[in-house]
Amino acid sequence: MIPKHSHTTEAQGGVLNAQGAIVGVQDLSGFGDGSDLAGVISAPTVLTRSMFWTTLVVQSGGSIDPAGFEIFARESVVVENGGVIASDGANAVGATGGVTVANGELDGRQAGGDGGANAVGSVGVAGAQGGAGGAGGAATAAGGAGGAAGDASTSQVRFRSPGATVIETGAGGGGGGGDATPGTGGGGGASGGEVSIHAPVIRVDTGGQISADGGDGADGVANNGGGGGGGGGGKVRLNFGTLTNNGTIQALGGAAGAGAGTGLVGTVGDPGIVEQVQA
């Protein structure tokens, strides 16, 4: 029998016959077995494994950071007004690029590049299949380029094998270039990660949000430093029977940082992917 926590599909009541085929299958939806029972989220929550709820409600003030893990619900997922499910990239702070976040089973958020000092800003970290991170501005005080969005995948669900380097979410933004006066550029924003939700019914109420946005680039720090580039958007994947969205579902690129003095503005990160698969 396929394991009840299979990440590819689920067979309820199915058995293998002599030919190795599954027979007596009642459900191949991949919505999970509900073994984690009902979930009600009313405070910030970071997942440490994939969850298999029967129902999930994210209330106002509640949030879920999937941290590279998936959300399964046997019956429904509801994001109420003020509730959030997000794998957003971190904003850059000063000359320091947005930091990366430890990955679980899915693609993770990629760090932005640091701003340059008296030289070219560093390049934002990029995955093998994600767009390359924007190069930092040159010493002439040009702004850092934005991180590119991750490429679309042909598979329905993507996983990062242990030790693998393939990352298909967005790339981190490039750091802004420093000027020769001296000057320091702003850091680039981190990329968005991946949000993957599987449920027969997904409902996002007005004021609710599901997102994988890139982080913002920081402004040039001093003396004509260039602004950092925004991180590329990540990926939101929804597998459902019925989807009702009155809120926000997005994977936007991060905003660009402004230049200091004569330093140039960075580049906005490219948008990511919102993938909707109706079961």
Side-chain angles (χ1 to χ4, degrees):
M1 179 182 293
I2 295 176
K4 65 180 181 179
H5 285 180
S6 169
H7 287 149
T8 54
T9 188
E10 178 190 359
Q12 290 294 315
V15 296
L16 293 175
N17 63 16
Q19 288 73 42
I22 301 174
V23 296
V25 173
Q26 298 175 351
D27 181 19
L28 288 174
S29 62
F31 297 137
D33 66 347
S35 56
D36 289 316
L37 306 180
V40 177
I41 305 298
S42 58
T45 301
V46 179
L47 298 188
T48 57
R49 64 174 175 87
S50 292
M51 297 298 295
F52 299 84
W53 284 295
T54 52
T55 60
L56 170 63
V57 178
V58 184
Q59 299 177 332
S60 178
S63 64
I64 296 178
D65 180 346
F69 295 99
E70 296 194 86
I71 295 171
F72 296 83
R74 192 70 183 162
E75 299 175 18
S76 62
V77 170
V78 176
V79 183
E80 297 182 341
N81 183 13
V84 175
I85 300 176
S87 182
D88 295 339
N91 297 334
V93 178
T96 303
V99 297
T100 188
V101 176
N103 302 330
E105 298 166 341
L106 301 177
D107 297 342
R109 288 159 274 194
Q110 303 303 295
D114 292 340
N118 311 320
V120 176
S122 61
V123 176
V125 177
Q129 295 191 35
T140 54
D151 298 333
S153 172
T154 55
S155 61
Q156 288 192 348
V157 184
R158 307 193 317 270
F159 293 94
R160 181 175 56 86
S161 301
T165 58
V166 175
I167 301 293
E168 297 179 2
T169 50
D179 192 20
T181 49
T184 304
S191 74
E194 182 166 350
V195 176
S196 185
I197 302 173
H198 310 259
V201 175
I202 298 176
R203 192 185 86 206
V204 183
D205 294 342
T206 301
Q209 178 175 320
I210 299 174
S211 63
D213 296 340
D216 295 341
D219 295 345
V221 177
N223 296 333
N224 305 327
K235 180 173 182 179
V236 174
R237 182 182 187 275
L238 305 178
N239 177 30
F240 59 88
T242 301
L243 172 64
T244 303
N245 177 29
N246 292 311
T248 300
I249 301 174
Q250 64 187 28
L252 303 180
T262 60
L264 302 183
V265 65
T267 304
V268 175
D270 286 348
I273 301 165
V274 175
E275 181 180 84
Q276 298 179 6
V277 179
Q278 189 165 22

